[in-house]
Amino acid sequence: QERLRCFLLGSLIDASLNDTMASLELLGKIAGVGAMISFGGAFAFYNYVKTNITTATYFSEGLQLIQDSPDAMLALEGQCAVQDIKLFGETRTRLRANEAQVAIPVHGKEDIEGTVIVKAQRATADEPWIVTDTRLDIDWPTIKTIHVKGKPPAAATR
């Protein structure tokens, strides 16, 4: 009888441990799937915001102002290639419901690097954006700023 009791108790403990291990394994799988969904959602949202910025009227209008500016194109040596915009880190991009400032990295010929800064406003979310200021900040090889729309600040320093 004692042996039977030990056998039954051991079987019960083994079954309980197996159920616990199965539950932990299931929880691990659920956590893994949850993490993948979270990272995937964050990545999708990041790309959604970038797409909204790059398709906005102020983005294309600001770049067109730079391409139409003889001074800006001279500084870029005739070429204005748009690079991938950044939303995090050292960026000057700021978005609000009725105000936008976008930093657009650009490359000119050779090793010329710069950033187009476009500022835009609108009265309400239903109204179109109006570009209020556009400038080209050349970052390499020499630092200079070229304003193509809007008034440059009194002491133009960066």
Side-chain angles (χ1 to χ4, degrees):
Q1 227 176 1
E2 187 64 32
R3 280 186 171 173
L4 182 60
R5 192 178 311 154
C6 285
F7 173 76
L8 290 175
L9 186 58
S11 296
L12 186 60
I13 290 173
D14 284 344
S16 177
L17 285 176
N18 284 339
D19 287 346
T20 301
M21 295 301 285
S23 295
L24 289 176
E25 190 175 315
L26 179 62
L27 284 175
K29 288 178 182 178
I30 291 171
V33 169
M36 287 176 26
I37 290 171
S38 295
F39 287 124
F43 179 76
F45 182 72
Y46 181 83
N47 283 327
Y48 171 77
V49 171
K50 279 177 61 171
T51 299
N52 279 347
I53 291 171
T54 57
T55 59
T57 56
Y58 55 79
F59 187 91
S60 57
E61 188 177 328
L63 286 174
Q64 190 62 51
L65 286 166
I66 294 296
Q67 292 169 348
D68 290 345
S69 166
D71 292 338
M73 291 310 290
L74 182 64
L76 291 168
E77 294 186 358
Q79 178 179 325
C80 183
V82 176
Q83 305 300 301
D84 192 33
I85 65 169
K86 295 173 181 64
L87 300 180
F88 298 112
E90 290 188 32
T91 180
R92 293 174 268 179
T93 297
R94 310 275 185 272
L95 299 173
R96 293 188 178 91
N98 299 330
E99 289 181 50
Q101 175 178 301
V102 181
I104 308 167
V106 294
H107 262 105
K109 278 196 178 170
E110 301 295 324
D111 60 351
I112 298 173
E113 296 177 10
T115 305
V116 175
I117 305 295
V118 180
K119 293 180 183 178
Q121 294 179 336
R122 60 183 175 183
T124 66
D126 296 332
E127 294 189 30
W129 288 99
I130 298 170
V131 174
T132 58
D133 185 71
T134 302
R135 75 175 192 261
L136 170 64
D137 292 340
I138 298 293
D139 303 321
W140 181 259
T142 57
I143 296 174
K144 61 180 142 183
T145 298
I146 299 160
H147 287 267
V148 296
K149 183 171 184 167
K151 293 182 181 178
T157 57
R158 288 196 296 137

